[in-house]
Amino acid sequence: MTGITYVRGDATAPQGKGVKIIVHVVNDLGGWGKGFVLALSRRWPEPEAAYRSWHRERAHNDFGLGAAQFVQVGPRLWVANMVGQRGIRTGRSTGAPVRYEAIDAALGLLAGKAEELGASVHMPRIGCGLAGGKWSRVGPLVEGRLVGRGIPVTVYDFGA
């Protein structure tokens, strides 16, 4: 195991060769409009459209905590919408909306897709922005589900 590679940069412009999957965490409310999703939507309309449709049709599909949706946005590039957040933070919220067990389940689905495609995985520190999670809890899930299966993972820290 080589571990996770940490770089400064933009996770919507993944580095390296080969097939890549950009991963992020979405909520279970169908809301898309703050955080990393804005950067995704600036580059590609497909992940947002697919997520909204997936949520809208949830009575007839697998949408829910722990689910993952894979959207192809280029010949060798995919985006994984992983449902790992219960609701969103509001002024009346108590506690963070992150659900570590849902992120873990979705990472298991991601591992299967990455193996199928022969892909590397690229992400910001998922679940640690608006979802309110801690990388000290998410990082080991990524290590166990992905790195432990030999899947290359790059985590992008945005900014200088």
Side-chain angles (χ1 to χ4, degrees):
M1 286 194 307
T2 58
I4 298 170
T5 301
Y6 292 89
V7 299
R8 288 244 177 251
D10 180 355
T12 68
Q15 303 173 8
K17 298 186 185 313
V19 179
K20 300 175 197 72
I21 303 173
I22 299 169
V23 180
H24 70 116
V25 167
V26 295
N27 63 63
D28 64 351
L29 293 179
W32 180 292
K34 288 187 177 180
F36 184 69
V37 298
L38 296 178
L40 286 173
S41 290
R42 277 193 292 273
R43 287 197 186 260
W44 310 282
E46 298 92 346
E48 178 180 0
Y51 168 74
R52 290 187 185 281
S53 174
W54 188 31
H55 177 263
R56 193 171 41 254
E57 301 296 323
R58 66 191 176 279
H60 307 289
N61 63 40
D62 66 344
F63 184 92
L65 286 169
Q69 179 188 51
F70 303 97
V71 183
Q72 191 165 11
V73 296
R76 300 166 64 81
L77 186 60
W78 297 71
V79 171
N81 295 328
M82 299 192 329
V83 187
Q85 182 180 326
R86 166 77 73 199
I88 57 172
R89 244 188 205 155
T90 66
R92 296 182 307 253
S93 296
T94 57
V98 67
R99 293 297 179 265
Y100 296 109
E101 64 285 352
I103 290 174
D104 188 46
L107 285 169
L109 297 172
L110 171 63
K113 187 68 169 181
E115 288 177 337
E116 172 192 323
L117 296 171
S120 57
V121 170
H122 303 261
M123 65 180 77
R125 292 182 189 242
I126 58 170
C128 299
L130 295 173
K134 302 205 177 311
W135 189 249
S136 61
R137 301 243 345 241
V138 177
L141 301 177
V142 172
E143 290 270 355
R145 290 289 191 163
L146 301 174
V147 176
R149 288 171 73 167
I151 298 164
V153 176
T154 303
V155 172
Y156 296 76
D157 288 315
F158 193 74

